[in-house]
């Protein structure tokens, strides 16, 4: 083992942070790029299902709030692209990988948002699940990723509360509104649980990532934390978790659920979800349609190189 | 990186009188776009009232494998700290 590898191992062992200029194993770098770019793409693609309701928000207040939330998601995507760039990949390359299908994003965003209650369910469940994962990632071993997570977590809690507020309004509204809230929960419950990824035993990248402290807690552990937090929140709303086997285990203090439909999960991961094609096509279209803006900006910058902002 | 697109390091001053702190980076084709992007990315919640952007390539840093030797001169100079000196009892304001 050379002195660089030794220094790296020591950083991991002592729970310090690896910084961009430090030596790191090639596989550590690659794993981080894969995970962080996937995370960044998820934030960016995640704007689409919410953007769907921007022009149909039921009040000016809810429209303002939704707009602010979508702007945050864009910001989170950019923080994460910046983090990945410190590992030696460019933003352009990441975009190309997204468009070619080489890079993935979270499957949850391949589900459609059919009613206004879905804006509630997305904020409450999808952002809620993301927060559980991201809070844990604040302790990741790569310094820039960890600092990005701290910043994101600070902003993300507004998203979850915004979502829950919509759920409270819908659940206490007319019978039709309550039905919409229940329907949104029915559709987003299992996909949200699957956001944590495959079971620990079936997770291809997990154990090495845990050893390198890229991930700090296992998929199943994080998922259970989310379930335990969310079930009482659903009960408060007077809604039913769509799982007839859901029960509280007095001994362990945890909520137990039915096995998930993993075929559905892999089907969506492999590109056959309800909106996979639409999401990617929309991203490509926006990128290509805006090519002239990038060209104009480059031409303007070249002409005004010496200008002061 | 796409032609013309540049990376900028962003520094924010939280309140007048405090030092500027590095917060991350942003992209921009020119200075004006860089400060606007930095504002939209890092100050959406009143994080600061003043902001610098510096082209990333303008940052010079000490190579890490050289850090021990580079910072070594300050390691053995305890007399640079106020606590190094003994002041007799009864003397105040020192």
């Amino acid at each position: 083992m050379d002195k660089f590898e030794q220094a790296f191992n020591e950083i991991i062992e002592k729970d310090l942070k690896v910084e961009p200029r430090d030596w790191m194993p090639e596989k550590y770098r690659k794993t981080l790029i894969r995970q962080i770019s996937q995370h960044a793409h998820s934030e960016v693609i995640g704007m689409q299902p919410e953007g769907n309701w921007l022009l149909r928000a039921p009040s000016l207040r809810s429209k303002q709030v939704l707009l602010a939330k979508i702007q945050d998601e864009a910001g989170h995507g950019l923080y994460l692209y910046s983090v990945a760039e410190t590992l030696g990949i460019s933003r352009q390359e990441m975009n190309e990988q997204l468009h070619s299908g080489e890079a993935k994003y979270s499957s949850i965003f391949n589900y459609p948002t059919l009613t206004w209650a879905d804006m509630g369910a997305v904020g409450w469940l999808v952002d809620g699940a993301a927060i559980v994962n991201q809070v844990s990632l604040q302790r990741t071993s790569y310094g820039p990723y960890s600092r990005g997570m701290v910043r994101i977590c600070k902003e993300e809690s507004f998203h979850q509360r915004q979502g829950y507020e919509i759920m409270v309004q819908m659940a206490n509204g007319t019978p039709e509104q309550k039905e919409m809230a229940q329907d949104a929960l029915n559709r987003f419950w299992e996909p949200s649980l699957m956001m944590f990824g495959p079971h620990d035993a079936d997770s291809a990248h997990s154990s090495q990532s845990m050893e390198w402290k890229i991930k700090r807690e296992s998929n199943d552990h994080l998922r259970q934390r989310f379930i335990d937090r969310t079930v009482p929140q659903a009960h408060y709303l007077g809604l039913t978790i769509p799982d007839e086997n859901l029960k509280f285990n007095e001994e362990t203090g945890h909520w137990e659920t039915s096995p998930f439909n993993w075929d559905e999960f892999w089907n969506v991961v492999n590109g056959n979800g309800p909106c996979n094609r639409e999401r990617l096509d929309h991203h490509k279209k926006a990128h290509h349609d805006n090519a002239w803006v990038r060209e104009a900006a480059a031409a303007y910058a070249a002409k005004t190189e010496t200008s002061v902002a | 990186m796409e032609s013309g697109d540049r990376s900028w390091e962003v520094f924010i001053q939280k309140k007048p009188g405090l030092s500027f702190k590095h917060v991350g980076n942003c992209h921009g084709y020119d200075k004006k776009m860089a400060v606007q992007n930095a504002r939209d990315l890092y100050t959406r919640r009143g994080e600061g009232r003043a902001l610098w952007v510096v082209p990333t390539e303008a940052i010079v840093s000490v190579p890490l494998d050289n850090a021990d030797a580079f910072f070594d001169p300050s390691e053995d100079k305890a007399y640079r700290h106020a606590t190094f000196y003994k002041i007799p009892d009864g003397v105040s304001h020192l």
Side-chain angles (χ1 to χ4, degrees):
Chain A
M1 196 187 300
D2 63 21
K3 67 170 181 173
F4 293 112
E5 193 174 351
Q6 210 163 357
F8 173 83
N9 290 341
E10 209 173 288
I11 289 173
I12 301 296
E13 198 179 311
K14 288 186 178 161
D15 248 340
L16 303 173
K17 301 292 179 207
V18 179
E19 295 297 336
R21 303 285 184 96
D22 295 348
W23 182 90
M24 59 187 87
E26 210 36 46
K27 185 136 181 279
Y28 178 83
R29 183 188 300 276
K30 285 218 172 99
T31 304
L32 278 171
I33 289 178
R34 186 182 48 78
Q35 179 171 333
I36 298 167
S37 75
Q38 179 174 335
H39 198 160
H41 295 322
S42 301
E43 300 279 358
V44 170
I45 296 289
M47 290 191 281
Q48 290 186 37
E50 299 191 309
N52 183 32
W53 280 93
L54 203 45
L55 298 179
R56 292 178 284 160
S59 69
L60 184 57
R61 180 186 184 270
S62 57
K63 184 173 181 172
Q64 270 179 319
V65 167
L66 187 60
L67 189 57
K69 179 171 186 278
I70 294 171
Q71 196 184 9
D72 270 355
E73 308 296 4
H76 297 172
L78 294 178
Y79 298 154
L80 286 157
Y81 285 130
S82 290
V83 171
E85 281 174 303
T86 65
L87 292 158
I89 184 168
S90 74
R91 206 164 286 190
Q92 195 183 1
E93 281 173 89
M94 285 186 270
N95 253 325
E96 286 163 5
Q97 289 180 356
L98 174 66
H99 289 176
S100 74
E102 187 186 338
K104 301 258 184 253
Y105 56 87
S106 179
S107 280
I108 191 81
F109 302 115
N110 289 320
Y111 291 91
T113 44
L114 304 176
T115 71
W116 175 251
D118 287 14
M119 291 301 92
V122 166
W124 171 39
L125 300 173
V126 177
D127 288 302
I131 290 170
V132 168
N133 189 32
Q134 287 167 343
V135 164
S136 178
L137 282 172
Q138 289 181 119
R139 296 190 297 119
T140 189
S141 58
Y142 188 56
Y145 194 25
S146 156
R147 294 190 284 274
M149 283 303 114
V150 171
R151 185 179 282 277
I152 286 176
C153 286
K154 259 191 219 160
E155 302 182 348
E156 198 80 50
S157 64
F158 129 57
H159 298 183
Q160 198 190 10
R161 284 172 168 230
Q162 171 263 358
Y164 197 71
E165 188 188 82
I166 293 175
M167 293 306 283
V168 172
Q169 286 166 347
M170 298 296 279
N172 294 307
T174 63
E176 289 85 357
Q177 286 173 323
K178 186 163 185 186
E179 203 175 307
M180 271 187 228
Q182 181 64 54
D183 175 57
L185 172 59
N186 291 352
R187 283 180 288 111
F188 279 96
W189 173 249
E190 197 172 84
S192 303
L193 301 186
M194 295 204 262
M195 280 175 71
F196 294 94
H199 285 305
D200 298 343
D202 311 318
S203 180
H205 308 286
S206 269
S207 67
Q208 179 66 78
S209 286
M210 295 280 281
E211 255 169 58
W212 276 331
K213 297 185 181 169
I214 292 174
K215 278 174 70 163
R216 301 308 305 258
E217 291 168 284
S218 76
N219 294 353
D220 286 330
H221 194 84
L222 293 168
R223 180 166 21 238
Q224 189 61 52
R225 180 175 301 151
F226 174 70
I227 293 169
D228 291 341
R229 280 181 188 183
T230 309
V231 171
Q233 293 168 355
H235 290 162
Y236 175 84
L237 294 170
L239 299 179
T240 311
I241 298 276
D243 180 352
E244 54 192 21
N245 296 315
L246 183 82
K247 66 167 193 292
F248 189 71
N249 184 327
E250 295 281 352
E251 240 166 73
T252 61
H254 293 300
W255 287 91
E256 289 170 359
T257 55
S258 304
F260 309 127
N261 181 357
W262 290 107
D263 292 342
E264 154 83 4
F265 175 77
W266 289 115
N267 191 40
V268 180
V269 168
N270 291 325
N272 306 313
C275 298
N276 293 54
R277 186 66 197 276
E278 181 187 331
R279 300 287 185 243
L280 215 49
D281 283 353
H282 184 78
H283 192 278
K284 283 181 196 166
K285 183 174 185 307
H287 190 72
H288 295 139
D289 286 355
N290 291 330
W292 69 273
V293 178
R294 294 191 292 278
E295 281 162 29
Y300 182 77
K303 274 192 189 165
T304 55
E305 195 76 5
T306 51
S307 74
V308 177
Chain B
M1 207 175 285
E2 221 155 305
S3 106
D5 184 16
R6 297 168 77 188
S7 166
W8 305 74
E9 297 305 315
V10 183
F11 299 82
I12 289 175
Q13 187 188 37
K14 206 169 178 176
K15 284 183 201 159
L18 295 179
S19 54
F20 281 70
K21 209 176 151 197
H22 181 247
V23 292
N25 67 33
C26 71
H27 279 229
Y29 285 64
D30 58 31
K31 296 172 187 177
K32 195 170 173 184
M33 195 192 273
V35 288
Q36 287 173 346
N37 286 350
R39 175 201 59 193
D40 291 347
L41 191 51
Y42 292 104
T43 62
R44 288 195 299 279
R45 291 174 174 80
E47 285 89 341
R49 296 300 300 169
L51 184 153
W52 293 341
V53 294
V54 180
T56 298
E57 72 265 18
I59 304 278
V60 181
S61 68
V62 179
L64 266 172
D65 48 353
N66 191 24
D68 287 350
F70 189 79
F71 294 107
D72 177 69
S74 76
E75 300 267 298
D76 58 353
K77 296 178 180 61
Y79 48 85
R80 285 178 173 170
H81 297 275
T83 48
F84 179 76
Y85 302 92
K86 283 199 181 72
I87 301 300
D89 288 347
V91 178
S92 52
H93 301 301
L94 265 176

